[in-house]
Amino acid sequence: MSHPLDTLEWPVRTRRLLLRRATPEDVDATWAFRRLPEVYEWLGAATPTYDAYRERYFRGTRLADMLIVELDGRVIGDLMLKVQDAWAQQEVADQAKGVQAELGWTLDPAFGGQGYATEAVRALIGLSFGPLGLRRLHADCFYDNEPSWRLMERLGMRRETHSVKESLHYTKGWLDGLSYALLAEEWNARPDGQPQR
């Protein structure tokens, strides 16, 4: 079964970056920054060893959902686009198949603070609402992961939920969680698909 990302032409270039599909050969380059404590502290799975990371990297559709972010030929991050069905009543369920997606991102902290994550995720949003024809994107994070929710706000995503102590962190215990979303109609209403702030 093909993945929606298979329908696009790769690689995709932004002003400074190159986005491309992840390959099995990217496992070491992504492990280089995902193994850092300041990175894995906020990931959905803080894989403590290379072997555990490698096993997770190749599990299920993970590789198909992943894009690589390169700067001048160097892997500096990765993105996730997990296409999903929307909830729908049975009578219209066929119209809700593959119409939305969950976004995710990880950036090597050595390249933080220079707008690379914003540039890469902005491009992914543009692909999602443009050629992929999705209608809604969403992303979640711990409230304590301020850089992540600040990025979502920079991109014009709307905070939909602030849940109190519903997200369990492996070292910090129960933390608040945040959910953000963006509709294609909201994105497309902005000049050049850029958030208005």
Side-chain angles (χ1 to χ4, degrees), residues 137-154:
L137 299 172
H138 68 95
D140 303 316
C141 70
F142 290 107
Y143 178 81
D144 291 27
N145 185 1
E146 187 173 342
S148 193
W149 61 261
R150 292 271 185 217
L151 170 61
M152 292 185 242
E153 291 182 356
R154 271 195 307 281

Side-chain angles (χ1 to χ4, degrees), residues 17-169:
L17 305 171
L18 180 131
L19 306 183
R20 62 173 175 80
R21 298 298 299 278
T23 69
E25 291 73 31
D26 293 314
V27 65
D28 291 339
T30 55
W31 169 248
F33 55 86
R34 282 178 164 260
R35 69 181 172 77
L36 302 172
E38 64 267 37
V39 174
Y40 71 67
E41 173 176 41
W42 301 115
L43 299 178
T47 47
T49 66
Y50 176 75
D51 289 340
Y53 176 71
R54 185 176 170 77
E55 189 276 325
R56 182 170 167 73
Y57 185 85
F58 292 108
R59 186 184 312 153
T61 63
R62 181 171 169 77
L63 196 55
D65 295 337
M66 183 184 248
L67 297 174
I68 296 297
V69 180
E70 287 187 4
L71 174 68
D72 300 326
R74 178 175 174 174
V75 175
I76 66 163
D78 59 67
L79 304 173
M80 176 195 72
L81 184 75
K82 190 179 291 188
V83 177
Q84 304 166 328
D85 298 342
W87 183 88
Q89 291 177 306
Q90 182 177 343
E91 295 77 9
V92 290
D94 59 322
Q95 297 172 44
K97 292 196 179 305
V99 297
Q100 64 186 32
E102 178 183 0
L103 295 177
W105 48 83
T106 309
L107 185 74
D108 184 332
F111 296 89
Q114 300 174 66
Y116 295 129
T118 303
E119 186 174 330
V121 178
R122 180 177 284 128
L124 183 56
I125 292 172
L127 292 170
S128 298
F129 290 145
L132 290 178
L134 301 178
R135 62 170 300 278
R136 185 175 190 275
L137 299 172
H138 68 95
D140 303 316
C141 70
F142 290 107
Y143 178 81
D144 291 27
N145 185 1
E146 187 173 342
S148 193
W149 61 261
R150 292 271 185 217
L151 170 61
M152 292 185 242
E153 291 182 356
R154 271 195 307 281
L155 292 166
M157 297 182 80
R158 172 184 5 86
R159 185 181 290 187
E160 292 192 325
T161 307
H162 178 160
S163 48
V164 178
K165 292 192 176 186
E166 61 82 46
S167 300
L168 185 58
H169 190 278

